[in-house]
Amino acid sequence: MVVATIIGGAGRMGSWFASFLKKNGYRIIISDNNTQLARKLARKKQFKFLEDPKLAVQYAQLVIVATPTEVTKSILKRIEPHLSRSCLLVEISSIKEPVRATLQDMKRRGITVLSIHPMFGPGIKNLAGKTIITTLLPRHTNTRKFLSLFRREGARIIRSDFDQVDKYASITLALPHFMNIALVNALRTCRFGPNQLKAVAGTTFRLQLLIAEVLYQENFGNEASILMDNEKALQMLKAFVKHNNRTLSMLGRGRKGKQSLLQDLKKGRDYLVKDPMFHGAYGRFNAAVEASSLH
C-alpha cells in the first residue's frame, strides 16, 4: 500500500486530500501543528498522526504540503532532507511566487516536485468539471498515477507555469476577494445588520452576501497572502480601482454621464457574451439560488 503524508492534514484542504487519497487506497499519515484537531481527525478517519513532519515524510511515496502559504516555504526546507528519493512532493499553494525559488531549488537537487493549484475548495461533492492547474510537471510514474486519480473522476488537468498561475490567481482569486472585502467594509458603515438586510433584500444581494460570508470563514493568513504576496494581484487591483473611479465619475455628470455609463455597460456585455453559456446565465443563477436556500 502506498504511503501518503499530508503536512497540514488537519486543515480543510489537507483533510480533503487525506480523505480523497484514503478512498483511493493510500495509507494516510497526517502531520499538523494543531495537534488536538489532528489527533481527533486521525481517530475519526483512521489516519496515522505524527506530530513531527520530518518523521511523517520519511517513508512516504507521496507527500502533500497543504499549509498556509506564509509557512509553506519553511516547511519545504524543513522536510527536504528527510524525503526519500522515490517520493513525489506535491505543493498546493494558491500563490506560487513565495515558494517558486524553493521549489525550483529542490527540483535541481533531485526532488521530484509537482506544484498544483486546485481550483476548488474542500466542500465539493465530486470532481466532475473541476480544474487543477499544474506547474513543474515531472515525468515520473508517481506523477502520472497521482494526476490520474483526479482525471478518473472527471477533473480537468491544465498545465501552466508559475507566472501564468499567479496571473490567473490575480483575476480569479485576488479580484473577487478584494471586491468582497470592499463590500463588507461598506456594509459595516451602514446602520443595518446582515439579518436586517437579508430580510429586505432580493436574491442578488443575498447570494453576494453568502459569498462574502464564505470568504470570511477562510484562513485570514491565506487571504492576506492572496492579496499581498502576488505582484500581479496588486496590478490587477489597481486597474480595478481605476475603472471603478472612472465609473463613479460618470454618476454625477447628468445626461453625458449616463451616456458614458450605457456605453460602458454595452462594452461589458460585449465581453461577457463571448462566454458560450452567457445566455443561460439567468437560469443558472436561479438554480444557484434554489440550491442555496436563499429563496
Side-chain angles (χ1 to χ4, degrees):
M1 184 177 288
V2 177
V3 176
T5 293
I6 292 68
I7 309 296
R12 296 204 295 170
M13 280 307 292
S15 60
W16 184 90
F17 273 99
S19 297
F20 175 74
L21 291 171
K22 188 176 192 316
K23 181 183 75 172
N24 281 278
Y26 286 70
R27 180 180 167 222
I28 303 300
I29 300 172
I30 63 171
S31 182
D32 199 291
N33 60 5
N34 189 337
T35 57
Q36 185 177 1
L37 181 60
R39 285 194 174 95
K40 182 179 179 181
L41 181 68
R43 285 194 298 269
K44 180 181 178 182
K45 299 282 191 175
Q46 296 183 310
F47 303 151
K48 183 175 181 178
F49 169 66
L50 290 174
E51 185 173 350
D52 187 343
K54 295 179 291 186
L55 295 177
V57 303
Q58 278 184 333
Y59 303 107
Q61 290 83 50
L62 171 65
V63 172
I64 298 179
V65 179
T67 53
T69 304
E70 66 265 24
V71 300
T72 297
K73 182 177 177 179
S74 63
I75 291 290
L76 291 170
K77 290 182 175 180
R78 186 177 175 190
I79 66 173
E80 181 183 358
H82 306 277
L83 297 170
S84 73
R85 290 294 150 176
S86 62
C87 175
L88 171 64
L89 174 67
V90 179
E91 177 279 322
I92 69 165
S93 295
S94 299
I95 306 301
K96 300 307 180 185
E97 188 57 36
V99 297
R100 176 178 186 164
T102 301
L103 293 172
Q104 289 173 327
D105 287 345
M106 293 176 78
K107 182 180 180 182
R108 281 191 287 269
R109 288 192 289 268
I111 304 295
T112 306
V113 180
L114 173 63
S115 183
I116 68 173
H117 183 185
M119 301 302 292
F120 54 84
I124 62 166
K125 302 298 183 185
N126 62 72
L127 283 166
K130 306 303 186 295
T131 299
I132 297 176
I133 302 176
T134 67
T135 58
L136 286 180
L137 190 62
R139 294 181 179 179
H140 193 284
T141 302
N142 286 353
T143 308
R144 291 192 294 272
K145 182 178 179 182
F146 176 72
L147 293 178
S148 71
L149 300 175
F150 302 92
R151 286 193 178 102
R152 258 198 327 254
E153 298 200 15
R156 294 185 297 265
I157 309 297
I158 297 177
R159 186 170 183 174
S160 190
D161 57 43
F162 286 119
D163 285 335
Q164 195 71 357
V165 169
D166 283 352
K167 181 65 175 177
Y168 289 146
S170 74
I171 300 167
T172 64
L173 284 176
L175 182 56
H177 287 217
F178 184 82
M179 289 165 59
N180 278 278
I181 290 171
L183 170 68
V184 173
N185 285 340
L187 294 179
R188 286 171 51 223
T189 65
C190 73
R191 59 188 179 90
F192 303 110
N195 279 341
Q196 289 174 282
L197 292 171
K198 283 195 289 186
V200 298
T203 51
T204 302
F205 177 84
R206 282 183 283 164
L207 195 57
Q208 185 62 61
L209 186 63
L210 177 64
I211 294 170
E213 289 175 346
V214 169
L215 290 177
Y216 271 79
Q217 294 178 50
E218 297 293 330
N219 178 288
F220 284 178
N222 276 347
E223 289 298 298
S225 181
I226 286 169
L227 294 168
M228 300 178 70
D229 293 340
N230 182 357
E231 297 179 352
K232 295 174 178 60
L234 186 58
Q235 296 166 11
M236 173 56 62
L237 297 179
K238 284 181 177 178
F240 172 72
V241 171
K242 178 182 176 181
H243 287 297
N244 274 354
N245 287 336
R246 179 176 171 275
T247 302
L248 189 61
S249 72
M250 297 174 187
L251 306 185
R253 291 166 49 204
R255 182 179 296 179
K256 188 175 181 181
K258 184 177 181 179
Q259 288 301 316
S260 297
L261 181 60
L262 292 173
Q263 288 174 11
D264 232 30
L265 289 169
K266 183 180 183 303
K267 288 176 182 177
R269 186 177 59 192
D270 290 345
Y271 169 78
L272 292 173
V273 80
K274 295 174 185 176
D275 178 1
M277 300 177 73
F278 174 81
H279 294 291
Y282 195 72
R284 298 199 312 279
F285 173 82
N286 285 329
V289 169
E290 292 291 327
S292 59
S293 303
L294 291 175
H295 56 290

